[in-house]
Amino acid sequence: TKSALLVPLKIFFDRSRGVPLWKLWFGLLVLGVTVLNQMGYLATVILFSLHEPLQWKPGTIGTYLAASEFIRGLSSIILLPILVCCSLSDPLIALFGVCVVCLTNIGTGFVTESWQMFIAGTVQGVDAIITPALQASMSKLVPPREQGALFSVVSAVQVLSGTLAFVVYNLVYKLCLEEKDCPIGSPFWLMAILYFLTTPFLITLARFSKRSRRQAFVNSERFPPNPGSPTPHPTSPPIPTIHHPHHHNQTLAPHLHGNGYSTDDSDGMGGSIQWALSRSQSRRYQPPRVLSPASVGKDILERHSLIGRGRASSYGSHPHSINS
């Protein structure tokens, strides 16, 4: 049971899987800080609105929280698809959200009027695009069979960060109330500092993501797929080798030529062999069957008669010819 619980953590430590571990750790770190600030903002804004300078009533607080959640929903439904359509990578989308929320938290610390708080809460709703962008970025770093283990670790980090947020930011706000020299908006500035500290990680992820996309584009330009290259039919049997009747030690391997098959032999047998191979390719594949001696003899005679159509003139003098 203990080993089963540690299986998801192997994704973040096992280098043999070929997963860039530092990208996973960077994404997990930024995600943890984001959830910490999001839950901390929810806890701080309630305490902030109850005291000076706002001193809101419970009804006003409920209206503000409902409006904030509505804006967050619009950001996820409208703003996030727009940024995706602009061909921005996932780390860049998260970086955009972090920069906007960082500036918003700095301004929230200086709020003194209700209308200012509502404007700040409206812009604060952009933080809804950060978490989906980070989760999408991390999901692309692991194979599909390991994404369940990845998101179990991500969910655990989100729960721990949310629990820690209510403890930390309640203590910070309590200290701001007890200390007369401490500004009442200090918890919001602490959030801005934490958001700012995540920007180097997001910039690094964005740079390497852009480099990977550029390398993939260069490889596609250097080695473009050949639309004219033939693809074998999934039900076609493998192409047999053809033995020359005059040269017992020589095998003629058929190859593609134009729209059909031909061989390396240029003595007049190409038409018959091409016709025989096209016939074998057009038939559906059937499992091999055991032939009787009579069937084997009949098959040999048919092959000799087929090849003899292309070399009727030369078979007359050959010692192994059927006509002789």
Side-chain angles (χ1 to χ4, degrees):
T1 305
K2 184 178 180 181
S3 60
L5 294 176
L6 297 178
V7 167
L9 296 177
K10 292 183 179 180
I11 301 177
F12 294 86
F13 294 97
D14 191 359
R15 297 180 180 273
S16 62
R17 297 170 179 260
V19 178
L21 299 182
W22 66 270
K23 291 185 178 181
L24 288 176
W25 281 108
F26 280 13
L28 195 64
L29 176 63
V30 177
L31 183 64
V33 174
T34 300
V35 176
L36 179 71
N37 285 342
Q38 288 176 345
M39 296 295 102
Y41 182 86
L42 179 61
T44 304
V45 76
I46 296 175
L47 298 174
F48 181 77
S49 59
L50 288 173
H51 298 85
E52 293 182 356
L54 296 180
Q55 294 182 339
W56 282 353
K57 295 180 180 181
T60 308
I61 296 175
T63 303
Y64 172 82
L65 295 177
S68 299
E69 289 301 316
F70 179 74
I71 297 300
R72 296 183 81 251
L74 289 181
S75 298
S76 301
I77 298 175
I78 299 177
L79 180 59
L80 184 59
I82 291 176
L83 295 176
V84 172
C85 292
C86 293
S87 300
L88 295 179
S89 62
D90 297 325
L92 278 180
I93 294 175
L95 181 62
F96 171 78
V98 165
C99 292
V100 172
V101 176
C102 181
L103 296 175
T104 305
N105 286 330
I106 294 175
T108 306
F110 296 100
V111 166
T112 57
E113 300 291 339
S114 296
W115 64 270
Q116 297 174 353
M117 192 65 184
F118 272 91
I119 293 177
T122 302
V123 183
Q124 182 73 21
V126 179
D127 68 346
I129 69 174
I130 302 176
T131 302
L134 291 173
Q135 291 177 346
S137 177
M138 296 176 66
S139 66
K140 297 175 182 178
L141 301 176
V142 297
R145 59 185 177 85
E146 296 182 349
Q147 293 197 6
L150 171 66
F151 283 108
S152 65
V153 177
V154 169
S155 299
V157 171
Q158 289 177 324
V159 172
L160 293 176
S161 298
T163 305
L164 186 63
F166 288 101
V167 176
V168 171
Y169 283 101
N170 282 335
L171 292 176
V172 171
Y173 194 83
K174 182 179 179 181
L175 292 175
C176 293
L177 290 177
E178 294 176 353
E179 296 292 334
K180 295 182 179 180
D181 297 334
C182 180
I184 198 66
S186 298
F188 298 105
W189 298 338
L190 177 60
M191 298 176 199
I193 293 173
L194 292 178
Y195 273 126
F196 178 76
L197 293 178
T198 62
T199 54
F201 300 100
L202 290 174
I203 292 174
T204 304
L205 290 173
R207 287 189 60 187
F208 277 89
S209 176
K210 184 177 180 181
R211 184 179 303 177
S212 301
R213 295 171 65 183
R214 185 187 300 115
Q215 184 64 33
F217 176 77
V218 171
N219 292 339
S220 64
E221 291 293 325
R222 184 179 302 175
F223 307 104
N226 187 8
S229 59
T231 55
H233 196 274
T235 60
S236 299
I239 303 174
T241 56
I242 299 175
H243 298 276
H244 199 286
H246 296 285
H247 305 283
H248 300 285
N249 297 328
Q250 182 181 2
T251 300
L252 301 179
H255 61 85
L256 287 173
H257 179 72
N259 295 328
Y261 289 97
S262 63
T263 63
D264 294 333
D265 186 44
S266 58
D267 54 1
M269 297 175 57
S272 300
I273 296 176
Q274 181 177 352
W275 174 82
L277 288 175
S278 63
R279 290 268 300 181
S280 65
Q281 287 294 319
S282 62
R283 296 173 181 173
R284 295 178 59 87
Y285 174 72
Q286 297 180 355
R289 54 190 178 88
V290 180
L291 299 177
S292 61
S295 301
V296 173
K298 183 179 179 181
D299 182 74
I300 294 176
L301 292 176
E302 290 179 353
R303 290 175 182 268
H304 277 285
S305 60
L306 176 64
I307 297 175
R309 296 175 185 175
R311 297 183 55 86
S313 58
S314 59
Y315 276 2
S317 59
H318 195 273
H320 300 284
S321 175
I322 298 177
N323 297 329
S324 62

